[in-house]
Amino acid sequence: MHIAEGFLPPLHAAAWTVAAAPFVVHGVVRLNRQLRENPEAKLLLGASGAFCFVLSALKIPSVTGSCSHPTGTGLGAILFRPPVMTVLGTITLLFQALLLAHGGLTTLGANAFSMAVVGPWAGYGAYALTRRLGGGLLVAVFAGAFTADLVTYCVTSAQLALAFPDPAGGFAGALTKFGAIFAVTQIPLAVSEGLLTVLVVRLLRSTSAAELIRLRVLKEGGVAS
Amino acid sequence: MLAIDAAAYRSPWRRRHPAAKAVLAGTLLLCALVLPPWPGAPITAAIALAVALGWARVPPRAFLRSARAPLAFIVTGSLTFLVSVDTSGLTWAPGGAARAGEVIGRCVAAVLAQLLFAMTTPLADVLPRLARRRGLAGLAEVAGLVYRMLSVVLETVDAVRRAQADRLGALSWRARWRSVTGLAAQVFVLSFERARRLEDGLRDRGYTGELAVSVGPLPLRGRFLALAPLPGVAAAVLTVALSLVPGLG
């Protein structure tokens, strides 16, 4: 769910841009350091960004029978880590706004905050916690992708509720309203995205173990790190 | 190539400097956001549409086709303003229709201004110029690489999809799941394979970390730059003037 161009009042759009900025700057600093130490990583990051764009445009069969788009933030965070995903996610959102008219330039900050900052960090947190608690790689991947998707939509609901409080119920009423609407579509979609991500990682483990080792998702010998 | 980018490459404004086009579309975008929705939004939308189709000569069919999806999302998203939630449950929101109308109006004007920029300015003209700015070089270079790899990856996606459809990969729910996971994994593998081959090729050519791209000179013409803010200024003046007319403002 991208917030469309012009949907947020100007003050809200500016405030979310300010909120997302430190995370994007932190990501850019980490990215620049990584590129100084390892200039070849630039090409890998370019490929990763293109992969993230395509991933968010894939149509997955939804539990309700229709098609939906995954956010791709969970898989991105697991593969590339949240700070890099913040930068790649923001670039992806900018490209979606300018190449697909999906999302907007004035709402880029709000969309980046939910999809490139909170979603990846929450997803990676769920993934890392599941691994630490002794969960298998695929269980952790499901937890990461499911959480990233759902948290992204929860943040979007909160952003919309803050911008458009309910005339009767205020912020809480609006949050209930937007949350309830999203829940109908998003809980099945989060489950679908979790399953899709598990299947993708399972396939990658057998076809691209070297890349997963390079990205530190797997240890040498194919063991989940 | 994506439809919006293809239109931007064919645009008669392709040789205009991206900064001047950003001023033009940015002023209109600002008007869409800050002017009172009535009559500001319809005036800004009408001026953005006139500039896009008349002055920038964006093909009308391509413009409307690109605007269709975001506008549909905006209309369906605004339906939520019609209802209200409180302790008694779901009720019709007082003033909900007016609020939905205001948001739709503002969004339509903003989307048209955004499309005006996107359909006249290829990203390939913007990113190398951003890469020259201090502090943005690394980010703009990665964004430029993403952009270049995107065309190749999207072609791969099309080819894989066609191959899957030919093998009846969309026939059942189970087959669709298998196809979409196979597609995602295939794109990952091919993207990384291409990156590795590019890396090898560049290393053989003595790659030092700089990916300088030759950008054709685009002069920042004074006349176009001076005219660029005028559509936005016209929208603001017209809105203020109409707001003063009794019964309209």
Side-chain angles (χ1 to χ4, degrees), chain A residues 72-170:
Chain A
T73 53
L75 181 58
I78 292 166
L79 293 178
F80 312 118
R81 304 293 185 270
V84 172
M85 190 55 209
T86 297
V87 179
L88 292 180
T90 307
I91 292 173
T92 301
L93 286 167
L94 177 70
F95 283 9
Q96 284 174 337
L98 289 175
L99 297 174
L100 302 172
H102 198 179
L105 298 173
T106 63
T107 53
L108 183 66
N111 287 329
F113 191 80
S114 63
M115 272 185 237
V117 176
V118 183
W121 276 105
Y124 190 75
Y127 166 79
L129 185 69
T130 312
R131 295 294 297 136
R132 192 162 290 175
L133 293 175
L137 174 69
L138 297 182
V139 176
V141 165
F142 179 85
F146 176 82
T147 308
D149 185 295
L150 209 59
V151 168
T152 296
Y153 284 86
C154 289
V155 174
T156 305
S157 298
Q159 288 171 328
L160 291 173
L162 276 169
F164 304 104
D166 192 85

Side-chain angles (χ1 to χ4, degrees), chain B residues 59-207:
Chain B
R61 189 176 288 184
F63 194 78
L64 294 177
R65 200 177 292 153
S66 301
R68 206 168 47 191
L71 296 184
F73 281 127
I74 288 160
V75 172
T76 48
S78 300
L79 292 179
T80 52
F81 298 130
L82 300 180
V83 291
S84 176
V85 178
D86 57 17
T87 45
S88 60
L90 206 64
T91 52
W92 289 111
R99 197 182 206 186
E102 283 178 5
V103 173
I104 291 172
R106 193 170 66 203
C107 286
V108 170
V111 165
L112 296 183
Q114 180 185 341
L115 278 175
L116 169 63
F117 179 77
M119 296 187 86
T120 54
T121 315
L123 272 173
D125 289 352
V126 180
L127 296 171
R129 287 179 171 81
L130 285 180
R132 292 177 194 159
R133 305 268 168 235
R134 264 187 81 183
L136 284 178
L139 180 66
E141 274 198 353
V142 171
L145 267 175
V146 174
Y147 174 70
R148 268 172 253 146
M149 288 192 181
L150 204 53
S151 317
V152 185
V153 172
L154 287 172
E155 266 179 30
T156 308
V157 169
D158 269 353
V160 173
R161 271 207 187 120
R162 270 199 306 274
Q164 286 176 339
D166 290 347
R167 293 189 187 102
L168 307 179
L171 203 62
S172 64
W173 200 72
R174 195 184 167 87
R176 280 204 300 275
W177 266 101
R178 201 170 42 233
S179 295
V180 79
T181 51
L183 176 62
Q186 183 74 356
V187 168
F188 179 89
V189 173
L190 289 176
S191 304
F192 278 64
E193 178 57 31
R194 283 212 176 88
R196 201 169 33 216
R197 277 177 11 220
L198 265 172
E199 200 179 302
D200 292 344
L202 284 168
R203 199 184 301 120
D204 291 347
R205 290 179 178 88
Y207 176 56

